[in-house]
Amino acid sequence: MTIFALVGRNIGYSFSRKYFTEKFKREGINDCEYINFDIQNLNELPALLKNTPNLRGMNVTIPYKREIMKLLTTVDATAQAIGAVNTIKVTPDGLVGYNTDYYGFSKSLSPLLQPHHTHALILGTGGASSAVAYALKQLNIDYRFVSRTPQMNQFTYAELTKEIIENYHLIINSTPLGTFPNINDCPPIPYEYLTPEHLLYDLIYNPSQTTFLHRGEKQGATTCNGQLMLELQAEKAWEIWNKE
């Protein structure tokens, strides 16, 4: 049996295992199994790898997308540029890291873009936000990060004025705020300044409508959750694992 796995912390809820288990069933792939490596510390991973000889590939989720890079033999040029890895191919020569998050995000965002979506705010600065920034760069969309602990050229949430919101018509939530079971949480942006010109994209997929998206919708904004992004990035990972 060929094994694939998700590496993360507290991932019982995870999309990946359910998605791939259903995919294998649907497509009659009987020789593959997808499991969770639910670890509290990345130091636990080498032992799991040693005890799983049939492991061919892994997905990586919060909070290890950056930290895991130190365990890899090779990192694909795109993942290197992003500075985060969410897909790993297990090869005879070692672990090879890739990033399919940016692909899933870009492909799912592109059909929603209007000519006025030229400036974006990225809420959060974790591993997923790096993939979002890379994708926006490829799409020629200027962006600024919003963080609770801002670095140079980043906004704090408290700095988000009416004028800033009016100048940034695309707002992407890459934080975990609002994920099940904490569904009432949302990033502290001034929602009252959103308009029908705005597009709100949430990387969260559970619940399907987060409080962030709900509050945007009430202001007339277009909204999109992370479900399609996850499906696209998963299929891209499957492609990478099975490429000779």
Side-chain angles (χ1 to χ4, degrees):
M1 186 71 76
T2 302
I3 305 292
F4 299 91
L6 175 68
V7 181
R9 186 190 295 155
N10 305 330
I11 50 174
Y13 67 88
S14 144
F15 161 90
S16 300
R17 187 174 188 178
K18 185 173 184 286
Y19 181 83
F20 279 106
T21 301
E22 287 173 359
K23 174 184 171 70
F24 297 158
K25 198 173 176 184
R26 188 174 64 246
E27 297 179 15
I29 301 168
N30 302 317
D31 58 345
C32 293
E33 187 184 359
Y34 195 101
I35 63 175
N36 281 350
F37 286 160
D38 198 335
I39 54 178
Q40 293 304 303
N41 191 299
L42 209 49
N43 297 338
E44 298 168 47
L45 188 60
L48 287 170
L49 298 180
K50 201 174 174 185
N51 294 327
T52 318
N54 294 342
L55 186 69
R56 191 196 285 175
M58 292 179 280
N59 293 117
V60 186
T61 189
I62 293 171
Y64 301 125
K65 291 184 182 190
R66 288 189 174 133
E67 198 188 338
I68 204 159
M69 292 174 77
K70 67 186 183 192
L71 300 180
L72 308 179
T73 310
T74 315
V75 177
D76 162 78
T78 300
Q80 195 85 57
I82 292 168
V85 160
N86 77 311
T87 299
I88 294 171
K89 184 170 184 172
V90 181
T91 76
D93 300 321
L95 304 177
V96 184
Y98 299 86
N99 190 301
T100 64
D101 275 339
Y102 92 91
Y103 170 84
F105 173 70
S106 186
K107 281 278 185 196
S108 56
L109 175 72
S110 294
L112 304 172
L113 292 173
Q114 300 291 334
H116 66 273
H117 292 136
T118 55
H119 291 74
L121 294 175
I122 304 173
L123 312 180
T125 52
S129 73
S130 307
V132 167
Y134 184 87
L136 293 177
K137 209 177 204 169
Q138 306 295 309
L139 293 165
N140 292 317
I141 295 172
D142 288 330
Y143 61 85
R144 292 275 291 271
F145 286 103
V146 183
S147 174
R148 287 174 305 178
T149 52
Q151 296 177 359
M152 202 186 300
N153 212 26
Q154 297 180 354
F155 292 124
T156 64
Y157 287 97
E159 285 176 317
L160 297 178
T161 59
K162 183 172 189 281
E163 189 185 1
I164 289 171
I165 297 295
E166 284 174 350
N167 285 332
Y168 289 83
H169 286 119
L170 172 57
I171 304 177
I172 301 121
N173 178 34
S174 75
T175 78
L177 286 170
T179 309
F180 180 85
N182 304 312
I183 59 170
N184 294 321
D185 293 349
C186 62
I189 67 168
Y191 293 91
E192 64 272 21
Y193 302 138
L194 296 174
T195 67
E197 299 274 276
H198 282 88
L199 167 57
L200 267 58
Y201 190 112
D202 201 329
L203 269 57
I204 294 168
Y205 63 94
N206 182 16
S208 57
Q209 190 183 50
T210 57
T211 299
F212 168 72
L213 295 183
H214 177 65
R215 293 184 70 175
E217 205 171 75
K218 275 169 71 175
Q219 297 294 118
T222 302
T223 63
C224 179
N225 69 21
Q227 180 72 30
L228 182 57
M229 171 184 169
L230 279 164
E231 291 171 5
L232 290 165
Q233 68 82 18
E235 288 301 327
K236 186 55 123 177
W238 180 247
E239 197 183 295
I240 288 167
W241 295 332
N242 290 285
K243 203 157 50 182
E244 289 305 321

